[in-house]
Amino acid sequence: MTKKILIVDDEPAMLTYLSTILQDHGYTTFCSQSAEEAWEKALKESPDLITLDLLMPEKTGIKLYRDLRKHDRLGAIPIVIITGFTQEQYPMIDFRKFIYERSIRGPEAFLEKPVAPEALLETVEKVLGCGPQKS
Amino acid sequence: MFWTPVSPKKKEAPEPEERGEIANVPEEARGGLSLLNLLPSYACVVSGERTVLWANKAMKRDMGLVPGMRCFEVHWLREEPCGECPLEMVASTGKSFCWEQSIENPQTGKIQVLSQLIPLPWGFARGRCFLEISTDVTLFKRRQSQLELSQREYKALFEGVPCYISVQDRDFRIIKTNGLFQKEFGRAIGRKCYEVYKGRDKKCDPCPVERTFVDGQIHFSEETVRRRSGEPMEVVVYTAPIKDNWGTTYAVMEMSTEITPVKTLQRELASLGQAVAITAHSIKNILGGLDGGAYVVRSALRRNDPELTEKGLSMIQEGVEMARRLLQDILLVSRHGRPKLEDISPVNLALEVISLFQKRAGDLGIELQLETIGERNLTFRGDHKGLHTALANLLSNAIDACASLGAQGPGKVFLRVHELEEVVCFQVEDNGPGVPEEIKEKLFREMVTTKGNAGTGLGLIVTNKIVREHGGHLRYRSSPRGGTIFEIMIPRKPVFGEKYPEQTGLSSG
């Protein structure tokens, strides 16, 4: 059975890009352009992994992250943070620390945009603890 | 051999010094003349013919007197009486006379003396005689001229240094200023420092003058003051204590040097550095988008999926479009020179800009509205092209913010023209999600895009630069309706000429 990945990003282009890479390597993908929609899809599809952009309008990625982690069922789903925030750009904001500090589990991995296909695949495989999916 | 007082008849028969002198003097004056030996001044008794009859010890020691010398020979090494000799006058008026003269001292050369010629109440055989007492004032004179010189030097320094100097008392009252100060800040004597410099009604805090009064040390600070013309000036201020003989600071000298051009340069360099960093980030984003687009196109071709091909191509198209926008922004940021000022009607400008966005807003289901407050539409001086760009940037941002509302819409964007007496204010308000709370402060100061690949991040820098060139402010605050309000304030008259005015920075509030 193929692994299901929920991709959350407010940019359609990013969604297309990430889902194309993952589909090419045998994953089933669901895309969400907002945190609200992502929450619904997570509940419905029970993905094996979620990639999450931290900075999104309305409900931010950080809020979604916390909600997911606190949820009984969804709390166990590994999360890969993919964001345009880089440490060099925002030295004053340590996002990892920001997440870790709150008595909830940290993300399984952290990727900075732009994301190279190899880096994405390697990370996803590692987090899921399995080899590449057969398409 | 010592000189002996003259006694015409016994000229050749010198007597013992003390006795001989005194012997020529009437009995009643002897005691008095002996006392003159104790004086640190030169004293001598001369006859009406100017023959020295008696001299005190100091005079004999320093002048090398010989018997029968005439006073002008002693004092002046002359052969004839001095032209300005007061002796006749003293003789005729019977009143003593005081004057300054320079006399020849065989040992030290010319010296300056303060002399007093006093007619004596008794006489010798040849008639009346006079007492001349001369005090050496050479050193005093030298000190005096040194003092005058240093006063002149001090004055030259006070007036000549390229600093605004004021001297202030404990109440910050200005008691003295130099010419440069007066030229730039007007007449200030008697007025308070903070009033003259800043138009304030109480002292600044902290105040370097106050600190100098407290600890007697030199202090400095950087201040923004106001010229007489109202134009701001950035200065570095040094304060130095002026102490009395007992070491108490009774006044403070404040020296201000203008550093406005340095500060402007500093700010420009800082914003240039910021722009470079942002540009690099944008290029990284663009490349990411192009890479992603190329990947998607390749994948789509493999899958023979025309729809995905289309998506990939539009990602590439978007990247190219973004590069074009970035280039435009870079050109605007790096544009140098003054804004081209012309008469602008604020409402017409707003209409022009808003019409550009009608279609885009309509497509996204966003309501776009122009509101005018004041309704006078008086023209103001500004750079039409620049302000057009600035407003378009803000409107574009607002529409993007509303677009992300999606189903939570409808988005609403207001462009308000608020005409005030002194300023024209443009407000762009949206009911979008606002800047995410977590990063509001930092993100805004950095002025980076929240739009991922959509924005260059230079938009607000460009806008800020244009507004600053007009002597205006760009401000940001949360709207009571949940969104964001950006506000451009442009002074009706370019208050600061066309120079780069003070940095206002962006502040959230």
Side-chain angles (χ1 to χ4, degrees):
Chain A
M1 186 177 152
T2 60
K3 299 278 186 186
K4 292 189 282 188
I5 298 178
L6 173 60
I7 305 165
V8 190
D9 201 305
D10 64 318
E11 290 171 49
M14 202 61 197
L15 290 176
T16 308
Y17 174 59
L18 295 177
S19 63
T20 306
I21 298 172
L22 292 170
Q23 283 166 15
D24 281 354
H25 294 82
Y27 297 99
T28 303
T29 58
F30 305 94
C31 293
S32 283
Q33 228 183 306
S34 74
E36 301 285 331
E37 192 193 358
W39 182 251
E40 299 298 320
K41 282 199 178 160
L43 282 172
K44 194 172 147 221
E45 304 289 346
S46 290
D48 297 295
L49 185 145
I50 297 171
T51 75
L52 177 60
D53 181 12
L54 275 186
L55 181 64
M56 294 192 305
E58 320 158 47
K59 194 175 173 185
T60 68
I62 291 168
K63 174 87 165 59
L64 176 63
Y65 180 89
R66 285 189 220 149
D67 289 349
L68 283 169
R69 283 304 199 217
K70 282 182 206 154
H71 193 264
D72 290 341
R73 185 159 54 86
L74 303 180
I77 302 173
I79 297 178
V80 176
I81 303 286
I82 298 179
T83 185
F85 284 113
T86 63
Q87 289 301 302
E88 72 210 44
Q89 214 187 328
Y90 303 97
M92 60 279 266
I93 312 172
D94 188 342
F95 277 95
R96 298 166 208 231
K97 203 173 155 210
F98 186 81
I99 292 166
Y100 293 141
E101 262 172 4
R102 285 162 173 80
S103 64
I104 46 172
R105 203 168 83 249
E108 274 66 21
F110 205 97
L111 283 173
E112 280 171 8
K113 289 179 188 175
V115 183
E118 303 74 33
L120 175 68
L121 291 166
E122 198 183 305
T123 305
V124 166
E125 281 160 22
K126 209 166 108 190
V127 169
L128 288 174
C130 60
Q133 303 281 303
K134 278 269 175 251
S135 45
Chain B
M1 145 138 207
F2 289 103
W3 169 81
T4 321
V6 176
S7 159
K9 285 176 188 165
K10 295 159 104 184
K11 209 173 180 179
E12 302 306 316
E15 291 186 18
E17 187 191 341
E18 288 295 326
R19 262 191 56 227
E21 285 173 37
I22 305 294
N24 288 312
V25 174
E27 195 68 36
E28 64 270 28
R30 284 183 193 175
L33 285 187
S34 307
L35 278 178
L36 292 179
N37 277 324
L38 304 173
L39 270 189
S41 306
Y42 304 117
C44 60
V45 176
V46 292
S47 68
E49 286 81 40
R50 300 182 173 81
T51 306
V52 178
L53 302 174
W54 176 88
N56 74 347
K57 279 183 177 170
M59 187 138 189
K60 282 187 282 186
R61 183 187 65 224
D62 292 354
M63 303 296 174
L65 283 179
V66 293
M69 272 180 108
R70 312 244 274 175
C71 61
F72 47 85
E73 294 168 329
V74 180
H75 291 343
W76 301 90
L77 308 179
R78 281 186 183 172
E79 290 172 0
E80 285 175 11
C82 318
E84 59 277 15
C85 180
L87 191 122
E88 262 101 32
M89 185 185 72
V90 171
S92 67
T93 61
K95 286 184 179 154
S96 70
F97 182 75
C98 183
W99 79 109
E100 251 182 57
Q101 56 177 339
S102 65
I103 61 175
E104 205 64 44
N105 179 332
Q107 286 167 38
T108 57
K110 217 174 257 287
I111 60 169
Q112 196 73 21
V113 293
L114 186 65
S115 302
Q116 179 107 24
L117 191 65
I118 306 159
L120 289 173
W122 32 262
F124 289 99
R126 291 189 177 182
R128 298 199 62 177
C129 55
F130 306 86
L131 173 65
E132 185 183 327
I133 300 177
S134 298
T135 305
D136 187 347
V137 291
T138 313
L139 203 62
F140 171 77
K141 279 295 193 188
R142 203 179 296 146
R143 291 271 181 277
Q144 195 178 27
S145 78
Q146 276 170 352
L147 186 68
E148 278 165 10
L149 182 68
S150 62
Q151 268 172 344
R152 272 200 304 275
E153 282 172 352
Y154 161 73
K155 200 166 160 55
L157 193 68
F158 192 75
E159 294 298 337
V161 288
C163 290
Y164 308 103
I165 304 181
S166 65
V167 179
Q168 301 173 19
D169 69 10
R170 282 192 176 271
D171 297 326
F172 313 105
R173 204 173 288 282
I174 294 171
I175 48 185
K176 193 171 182 182
T177 64
N178 68 351
L180 203 58
F181 185 102
Q182 193 178 323
K183 193 174 150 217
E184 206 63 83
F185 300 101
R187 287 192 175 277
I189 308 282
R191 294 172 66 202
K192 304 274 190 165
C193 162
Y194 44 81
E195 188 192 314
V196 175
Y197 262 146
K198 298 193 178 182
R200 294 167 59 112
D201 56 5
K202 50 179 185 287
K203 75 169 190 73
C204 316
D205 198 26
C207 164
V209 174
E210 189 179 39
R211 289 171 69 199
T212 297
F213 267 119
V214 169
D215 64 10
Q217 305 291 311
I218 289 174
H219 289 283
F220 78 96
S221 69
E222 281 185 16
E223 308 279 343
T224 304
V225 298
R226 218 184 39 181
R227 293 171 215 266
R228 186 154 58 160
S229 60
E231 198 179 336
M233 177 198 289
E234 277 164 292
V235 289
V236 54
V237 180
Y238 281 86
T239 53
I242 304 177
K243 299 183 178 179
D244 60 20
N245 288 343
W246 295 271
T248 310
T249 306
Y250 70 91
V252 166
M253 190 189 290
E254 187 188 74
M255 290 153 282
S256 302
T257 312
E258 179 169 12
I259 51 164
T260 313
V262 180
K263 281 291 188 187
T264 307
L265 204 62
Q266 201 179 36
R267 276 194 291 270
E268 283 184 357
L269 270 178
S271 80
L272 182 69
Q274 196 185 31
V276 169
I278 290 169
T279 306
H281 179 72
S282 292
I283 291 173
K284 193 170 126 186
N285 274 345
I286 292 170
L287 290 178
L290 291 174
D291 268 347
Y295 181 94
V296 170
V297 169
R298 254 199 313 275
S299 179
L301 290 175
R302 247 196 336 267
R303 296 185 202 178
N304 200 14
D305 181 344
E307 199 188 330
L308 191 61
T309 312
E310 196 53 50
K311 277 187 179 174
L313 284 176
S314 59
M315 281 170 75
I316 293 171
Q317 186 61 47
E318 216 172 85
V320 171
E321 190 48 48
M322 216 182 116
R324 205 193 318 279
R325 279 206 304 273
L326 176 64
L327 183 66
Q328 265 173 14
D329 281 351
I330 291 173
L331 289 177
L332 270 171
V333 170
S334 58
R335 182 190 70 176
H336 263 285
R338 300 161 172 186
K340 260 206 282 185
L341 296 185
E342 53 190 298
D343 287 330
I344 299 175
S345 134
V347 176
N348 293 3
L349 175 67
L351 280 171
E352 274 169 41
V353 177
I354 213 162
S355 65
L356 285 181
F357 291 92
Q358 288 294 7
K359 187 175 179 307
R360 190 165 141 215
D363 289 350
L364 291 163
I366 294 167
E367 198 182 312
L368 192 53
Q369 257 185 43
L370 175 65
E371 290 180 358
T372 55
I373 306 167
E375 291 189 52
R376 284 181 296 177
N377 204 14
L378 293 175
T379 58
F380 68 102
R381 300 286 289 169
D383 181 326
H384 188 273
K385 203 175 156 195
L387 289 174
H388 191 278
T389 306
L391 277 183
N393 278 343
L394 295 187
L395 264 189
S396 171
N397 283 353
I399 289 171
D400 287 341
C402 287
S404 68
L405 277 175
Q408 292 193 320
K412 277 186 187 166
V413 173
F414 298 95
L415 172 58
R416 284 192 201 96
V417 182
H418 197 159
E419 295 196 55
L420 300 162
E421 202 61 51
E422 303 283 327
V423 291
V424 181
C425 168
F426 296 94
Q427 268 186 3
V428 178
E429 178 178 350
D430 64 61
N431 65 340
V435 180
E437 201 58 47
E438 287 92 340
I439 52 159
K440 203 177 237 172
E441 227 356 71
K442 282 94 179 177
L443 178 85
F444 208 77
R445 223 179 289 147
E446 302 264 306
M447 292 197 271
V448 192
T449 179
T450 57
K451 291 178 277 176
N453 281 341
T456 65
L458 286 176
L460 279 179
I461 294 189
V462 170
T463 306
N464 195 28
K465 178 180 155 85
I466 292 166
V467 173
R468 277 207 290 131
E469 281 170 355
H470 285 78
H473 304 258
L474 174 61
R475 288 204 198 105
Y476 150 88
R477 65 173 185 268
S478 295
S479 139
R481 273 169 273 211
T484 311
I485 300 176
F486 280 91
E487 193 171 69
I488 293 178
M489 309 269 268
I490 304 284
R492 276 193 185 277
K493 281 184 205 143
V495 183
F496 309 133
E498 290 168 22
K499 275 194 220 163
Y500 286 68
E502 108 190 69
Q503 160 107 7
T504 50
L506 293 165
S507 58
S508 58

